[in-house]
Amino acid sequence: MPLFSIKSSLVFAIPPWLGFRCPRCYTRLPVSQKFTTTAGKTAIAAPELDFSHEPLPPPNPGNARVVPASPSYFTGRPKFTDNVLHLQALLRQYESLPTVPKAHAPRVAWRDLTQYRALIGEPVPATRYHRVMAILKRLNRILPAMVPPELEEAMRLYKRDYASWDVIRKPKAVDAFGRAYGIGRRKSSTAKVFLVQGEGEVLVNGKSINSAFGRIHDRESALWALKATGRMDKYNVWALASGGGTTGQAEAITLGAARALLVHEPDLKPALRRGKWDEADSDLSSIWLQLHFVTSSRADILGLAGCVTRNPKRVERKKTGRVKARKMPAWVKG
């Protein structure tokens, strides 16, 4: 039906030369119908409903549909979207409150990405998670004395149940046999080290240290905590090492022996703590040889033992299409 305007008390007739064209063959189709005002209204729209005589029928529960509680229901991550909108509304509401510098903001243990995903049950990307953390860190800078209860309650959802720095470790003690126990790890190696007062005997997996480690460097590395503090002839060492290679096991014994030594003598921690020197220093070899013969006071002054800190470095895995982790195959002209 063609579209045309209808005015009251007028009759419009479409000329015979004006008609429609077929959408497929574009043939002109003549139109000779005449529409009056009433007929046009009847043909275009249904008559108006009169609600004054008959009441409306009761609604049918079967035709009802569930209305989402949140407008974010139709997004890909409704709970995450609601969280962001809620935090942004709080930020707009309380952004005028006085703040403290970042260095003086309260220390808070926020949920990491894995914990946040488990909390809301949605696969939140890392970039979206950082967006939430940026808003939370800005809200955390508000002066603690002026934080509203509503804001404090909203931020509690994103905090961990406990903070790692609030956990007090149980202090280790020497057992009834006079042994101190320490665990050390390096790469994929693990070592359990028992330290007891003695004459300087060392056993690694039931063998002497010369039989366990063929390289001189590994032998010195395993007993480096005792050498740096001048305790080589004061304690006996019994170690159980597993996993990895000889170098990894030797350095794992170093960390385990240092931790066991701190149980006997906690005051040696400054001498065993990592110093400010760099392993890439050109004078490292000379420093290494000097520390082999220093006394405990000398090692305390230098602070170059570095036996207390766990070394997190690992071998980088091999990549697909490469010879090793980063080495590319040699290019050959085809």
Side-chain angles (χ1 to χ4, degrees), residues 34-315:
K34 295 183 179 181
F35 296 95
T36 61
T37 304
T38 305
K41 286 183 179 181
T42 306
I44 294 176
E48 299 181 359
L49 297 177
D50 187 6
F51 299 100
S52 59
H53 301 290
E54 298 181 2
L56 293 175
N60 185 8
N63 298 333
R65 65 181 181 89
V66 179
V67 179
S70 171
S72 304
Y73 174 80
F74 299 100
T75 62
R77 305 175 185 88
K79 293 184 179 179
F80 170 77
T81 306
D82 288 340
N83 291 344
V84 173
L85 295 177
H86 182 53
L87 291 176
Q88 289 178 346
L90 292 175
L91 181 59
R92 288 192 300 268
Q93 183 178 359
Y94 300 112
E95 64 181 350
S96 60
L97 294 178
T99 59
V100 297
K102 291 183 179 181
H104 301 285
R107 192 177 183 184
V108 179
W110 304 107
R111 297 180 186 268
D112 56 14
L113 179 58
T114 305
Q115 294 174 344
Y116 182 68
R117 287 175 177 173
L119 176 66
I120 64 176
E122 295 176 357
V124 181
T127 54
R128 304 292 182 86
Y129 168 77
H130 295 327
R131 179 181 174 187
V132 174
M133 288 295 105
I135 302 176
L136 288 173
K137 291 178 180 179
R138 170 59 181 83
L139 294 173
N140 189 48
R141 291 177 52 196
I142 297 177
L143 194 65
M146 303 188 65
V147 176
E150 177 189 4
L151 181 58
E152 187 175 357
E153 183 68 23
M155 295 174 62
R156 188 177 295 114
L157 176 66
Y158 305 93
K159 297 180 181 179
R160 296 185 187 180
D161 298 333
Y162 62 92
S164 58
W165 52 82
D166 292 339
V167 178
I168 301 177
R169 294 184 179 181
K170 184 179 180 180
K172 296 182 179 180
V174 181
D175 60 6
F177 300 97
R179 300 174 303 181
Y181 173 69
I183 295 181
R185 293 182 177 86
R186 177 71 172 96
K187 297 182 182 178
S188 57
S189 303
T190 304
K192 301 178 181 179
V193 183
F194 296 88
L195 210 65
V196 63
Q197 291 185 0
E199 298 79 18
E201 299 181 2
V202 181
L203 290 178
V204 179
N205 294 335
K207 299 181 291 185
S208 64
I209 190 170
N210 294 334
S211 302
F213 301 111
R215 298 175 58 203
I216 300 178
H217 175 77
D218 294 338
R219 301 173 197 168
E220 295 178 349
S221 177
L223 303 177
W224 175 242
L226 299 177
K227 286 185 178 182
T229 55
R231 302 296 194 274
M232 281 293 298
D233 55 349
K234 188 177 179 181
Y235 294 97
N236 293 341
V237 181
W238 180 44
L240 297 175
S242 60
T246 56
T247 302
Q249 291 182 1
E251 296 185 7
I253 294 175
T254 305
L255 180 59
R259 291 176 174 175
L261 183 59
L262 289 178
V263 177
H264 283 285
E265 303 180 53
D267 296 336
L268 291 178
K269 190 170 185 178
L272 295 173
R273 187 184 297 120
R274 180 181 296 276
K276 297 182 180 180
W277 57 277
D278 188 5
E279 292 182 355
D281 194 345
S282 59
D283 299 333
L284 177 60
S285 57
S286 61
I287 294 176
W288 184 280
L289 293 176
Q290 291 174 8
L291 286 180
H292 283 183
F293 308 99
V294 298
T295 61
S296 61
S297 59
R298 177 64 175 168
D300 224 349
I301 295 174
L302 295 179
L304 300 179
C307 302
V308 179
T309 306
R310 162 77 156 92
N311 193 341
K313 294 185 294 185
R314 300 179 65 91
V315 177

Side-chain angles (χ1 to χ4, degrees), residues 15-26:
W17 51 269
L18 182 60
F20 293 107
R21 291 184 178 274
C22 179
R24 293 184 179 180
C25 59
Y26 293 97

